[in-house]
Amino acid sequence: MTGTSGHLPPPCHVAGPEGPWDEVQERIEETGRAVVHTTWGQWLTSALLDPGLRALLGRDWPRYRQHPAPAGRLSFAVSRVVVKHTVAAALQVPPSALDLAYLPGGRPVLRGLGTELHMSLTHTDELIVVGVSRVGPIGVDAEPAARRVSFELLRDHACTPEEAELLAGLPDGERTDRFLRLWTLKEAYTKALGQGMRRRFAAFGFRWDESGAAVLADDADREWSFATHLVQERFLVSEAHRRSARAEADAPGVPVAPPAEPGPVPSPAPEAVPGPVPDPLPDARVIGFPGPRGPGGR
């Protein structure tokens, strides 16, 4: 199939458990996928005061209670609540009816659905981003836009020779910004593959088409779609998505089977400690990748 690289819509901002969820449900119905962004602070009070929190966390309740750091415990609880509400909106079922499990490395999956539903979770500072897809693998990654990542230190690990050459020719500030955006794209792609940091980033590369969209260099059939957006004017959020062959035959609106009975839960990766609560989020805007110079500027 021909992909839609660079034309993925910006993430939906959902300010709390009550929504709004209409846009998320519309995107699932129309495209089979949606990405949600929020902050742990915006959900914190509602989540912790919910009398049904224990039932909502389910098998994650012991991990929540046993987390050694108070801030990490709160971040863990809120991120799982956001995941469950997002998936519930996608499937139009109650959040408490869902049960999460984890693959090696910590990637969440929904029990009983196998490859019927794909999800990805990332958080950085106070930002939480959840991607859900019923039509193929999805990966999301986020970084503060102001984060300084050393191109000189990481170029051999993160870049193909072609990418390194393009970035090396840029002024220092622009190179740093574009390298960070390239990094989030590679993180999102490897998460969609279920590999994360286990795959060396220099083993695959990106190019940019005539519209400035990021394209996987060896993806001749354009099966993958990519986009980077700036949310809250200070976080980069990248998404990678591959529409599955099965999805070509099935309309996105076809209901997904209900989750099956839960089984044992593997241990996930440790949680990061959240940062301070931000101001309300403005609309997201897209980050383009113009011209042949490499991952694009603002």
Side-chain angles (χ1 to χ4, degrees), residues 220-240:
D221 295 330
R222 300 291 291 271
E223 294 181 341
W224 285 89
S225 302
F226 300 93
T228 302
H229 293 89
L230 184 69
V231 302
Q232 201 193 342
E233 294 300 318
R234 62 194 185 99
F235 292 104
L236 296 183
V237 175
S238 285
E239 173 188 354

Side-chain angles (χ1 to χ4, degrees), residues 199-288:
R199 181 167 185 179
R200 188 167 177 262
F201 284 5
F204 62 94
F206 283 91
R207 60 181 177 84
W208 291 269
D209 66 13
E210 62 281 354
S211 68
V215 179
L216 196 63
D218 60 356
D219 184 17
D221 295 330
R222 300 291 291 271
E223 294 181 341
W224 285 89
S225 302
F226 300 93
T228 302
H229 293 89
L230 184 69
V231 302
Q232 201 193 342
E233 294 300 318
R234 62 194 185 99
F235 292 104
L236 296 183
V237 175
S238 285
E239 173 188 354
H241 179 264
R242 178 174 64 81
R243 192 173 179 89
S244 67
R246 177 176 177 178
E248 294 302 307
D250 296 335
V254 176
V256 175
E261 291 298 317
V265 184
S267 297
E271 291 298 308
V273 176
V277 178
D279 296 328
L281 303 178
D283 293 337
R285 63 181 175 87
V286 70
I287 300 295

Side-chain angles (χ1 to χ4, degrees), residues 46-95:
S46 297
L48 295 185
L49 295 182
D50 184 351
L53 178 62
R54 180 167 186 167
L56 184 58
L57 290 181
R59 293 169 184 262
D60 278 329
W61 178 258
R63 286 193 62 216
Y64 162 65
R65 295 289 294 171
Q66 296 166 13
H67 201 292
R73 183 163 58 247
L74 298 179
S75 176
F76 174 81
V78 172
S79 65
R80 270 55 185 180
V81 171
V82 175
V83 168
K84 285 200 172 182
H85 276 273
T86 302
V87 175
L91 300 181
Q92 299 190 33
V93 299

Side-chain angles (χ1 to χ4, degrees), residues 7-122:
H7 301 290
L8 300 176
C12 304
H13 174 220
V14 180
E18 300 304 316
W21 294 105
D22 292 348
E23 187 176 4
V24 175
Q25 293 169 346
E26 289 172 2
R27 291 193 186 180
I28 291 292
E29 291 172 359
E30 294 172 1
T31 70
R33 64 177 179 254
V35 176
V36 165
H37 75 96
T38 188
T39 64
W40 75 279
Q42 290 178 310
W43 284 62
L44 182 61
T45 301
S46 297
L48 295 185
L49 295 182
D50 184 351
L53 178 62
R54 180 167 186 167
L56 184 58
L57 290 181
R59 293 169 184 262
D60 278 329
W61 178 258
R63 286 193 62 216
Y64 162 65
R65 295 289 294 171
Q66 296 166 13
H67 201 292
R73 183 163 58 247
L74 298 179
S75 176
F76 174 81
V78 172
S79 65
R80 270 55 185 180
V81 171
V82 175
V83 168
K84 285 200 172 182
H85 276 273
T86 302
V87 175
L91 300 181
Q92 299 190 33
V93 299
S96 59
L98 305 174
D99 193 20
L100 296 179
Y102 301 90
L103 299 177
R107 178 173 178 161
V109 294
L110 193 64
R111 295 182 186 280
L113 289 187
T115 59
E116 296 291 330
L117 185 80
H118 302 264
M119 67 181 74
S120 183
L121 166 68
T122 189

